[in-house]
Amino acid sequence: MLNENKVKMMTKMAIYEKNEGKRMIRTAKYFKGDFIAFGVLKTLIATTFAFFIVVVMYALCNAEGLVQDINSMDYVALGRKVALYYVLMVAVFAVISGFVYNFQYEKSRKGLKRYFSRLNKLERFYNGQKKN
């Protein structure tokens, strides 16, 4: 004989595992600090690539003006300006990604708590059936 509550609970757990559970169970493998640090590191690498792409695009779009001013340009000041923009961009994206990955970790922990409470409830149900 099937118990309707047990079937509903198992269906909810299967849907959770299929949709959100994969990502959240992957998140559970990390400590909070490690998860956030790894996410920030991925963001910094992506930000660095994006910055260099933007710099190359700017140089290609303004190639004629750069070639005309090549002898009169102050390369040290230009390097400092580019480095300052890079540091500012990296800092902004690192802070934002830190908040985002912290939020994702906390959200996944709450979801995992619900999942494990349902799992414990299901285990108690099975243990109760074995006794009967």
Side-chain angles (χ1 to χ4, degrees):
M1 182 159 113
L2 293 176
N3 187 338
E4 189 175 329
N5 290 333
K6 181 177 83 170
V7 172
K8 284 181 183 179
M9 192 180 318
M10 290 177 75
T11 305
K12 285 181 185 178
M13 289 174 59
I15 291 171
Y16 176 80
E17 283 180 14
K18 185 177 180 183
N19 296 334
E20 301 170 13
K22 290 179 185 177
R23 187 179 70 238
M24 291 188 183
I25 290 173
R26 256 194 332 252
T27 302
K29 295 179 183 177
Y30 296 101
F31 291 110
K32 183 177 182 176
D34 293 339
F35 180 76
I36 294 171
F38 184 63
V40 170
L41 179 64
K42 289 189 301 187
T43 302
L44 292 180
I45 292 169
T47 302
T48 300
F49 283 129
F51 181 79
F52 285 121
I53 289 171
V54 169
V55 167
V56 168
M57 286 175 53
Y58 178 79
L60 291 175
C61 288
N62 297 321
E64 186 178 343
L66 292 174
V67 170
Q68 286 177 355
D69 298 335
I70 200 161
N71 290 330
S72 63
M73 224 184 272
D74 184 12
Y75 291 109
V76 174
L78 179 65
R80 286 183 183 154
K81 191 174 183 181
V82 169
L84 176 67
Y85 287 145
Y86 174 71
V87 169
L88 286 175
M89 185 175 167
V90 164
V92 167
F93 279 101
V95 169
I96 291 170
S97 68
F99 284 122
V100 168
Y101 282 106
N102 182 34
F103 177 76
Q104 284 180 353
Y105 188 84
E106 293 297 327
K107 183 181 174 188
S108 71
R109 293 308 267 183
K110 289 178 184 175
L112 282 172
K113 283 181 183 178
R114 275 196 316 263
Y115 175 74
F116 284 120
S117 71
R118 287 179 182 158
L119 201 60
N120 288 334
K121 191 183 290 185
L122 193 61
E123 184 180 17
R124 285 192 303 269
F125 182 79
Y126 277 116
N127 288 339
Q129 272 190 338
K130 285 181 183 178
K131 289 179 183 178
N132 293 335

